[in-house]
Amino acid sequence: MLAPLLLMLTALQTPAPGTVTVTVDSAHHDVVVTAGPYDLPEAMPGMSHAEMEHMAISETELKRFSWPVDGWFRGFALEVRDGNGRALSRRILHHMIMIDFDRRQLYYPAYERLMGAGQETADVIVPASIGVPMRPGMHLGMYLMWHNETGADIKSAYLVLRLHYAPKNQLPRPVDAMPVYMDVNLTVGGDNVFDLPPGVTEKSHDFVQPISGHLIAVGGHLHDFGIFVRLTDLHSGSTMVQLDAVRQPNGDVTDLPRKLYGVSGAGLRLVAGRTYRVTGKYDNLTHALIKDGAMAHIVGLFTPDDIRQWPALDVNDPGTKADLADLQSLGKASGGMRMAPMNHMKD
């Protein structure tokens, strides 16, 4: 795998910062998206790890590209490399988000977030029996948040993302599954971060389910000091799913395990008109307020009872317009990259 990667990176020569290239590895059913090069200054020279973690990161511009194949998106494998093809720590990629500009989210009047990955996210692939329906020419975009806490500047970092797909002629045909996103503190076109005072903090958001169906895969995202993110059915009072963070003694979050429900069963039933609550819990082990230091959300794959009931994208909706304006504002300073305060992060 390294040799083709080296050829790919060499062929780029001296591209503009953050150039995105897309190729198709049909033998492995992968769409390969390469973004780079990015020069990453040390996050905050002279500051402690905790201060670097919660003060600043490098934000990139939104980069657009087209999905090239007909079929179903099934998962991803992510690598961070330098210009010579050598592996870099995945921890320097705080998170990446991929947007589908042809579909709306289920719970928000905003563009679909097709996928995302954070520092704590492992590679994932779902069973061949399910997948997100995709068609050639779909308009996608991607932005990255780098966080170089290595103690030294990094020159020419590349993100190499292999997006696994099932081809259109796969039999049996996969069940259509749609990505969904539930945040404890999201303002469409605005921020989803919140403050962390010392000690324990919980933040929740209630929402009414728009259409019925099943959650068949669940993941999430927390920053350091995160304890869990949870989904509760307020009609029954029962916890539907809770994702517990794997944490180091200092509070660093190293993993947030995912759960697959659609492999051996129908999944978690969500009923239209019923109210649900998503909750994030943190324990700030420091003695200081961490301004805009937290996020908490659940992502998943949802199989609707009737996909025709999925909300249509309305580009004239004020929320959709605000979402687009916010995405287009990312990373505009300093040649497509800037040191961004944590309150500008929108997973």
Side-chain angles (χ1 to χ4, degrees), residues 155-177:
K155 187 173 179 60
S156 298
Y158 290 82
L159 171 67
V160 181
L161 194 60
R162 300 185 73 89
L163 305 175
H164 309 306
Y165 70 91
K168 191 66 176 178
N169 60 359
Q170 177 174 299
L171 294 174
R173 183 185 186 278
V175 173
D176 290 340

Side-chain angles (χ1 to χ4, degrees), residues 5 27 34 40 85 108 130-131 139 158 184 199 220 231 237 274 293 295 297 342:
L5 176 62
T34 304
L40 309 178
Y108 306 102
I130 59 177
H139 300 92
Y158 290 82
V184 305
L231 181 64
R274 187 170 290 184
M295 292 180 183
H297 63 245
M342 292 294 264

Side-chain angles (χ1 to χ4, degrees), residues 1-6 30 77 79 81 160 162:
M1 181 176 177
L2 182 57
L5 176 62
L6 285 171
D30 285 342
E79 294 180 315
R81 299 270 177 179
V160 181
R162 300 185 73 89

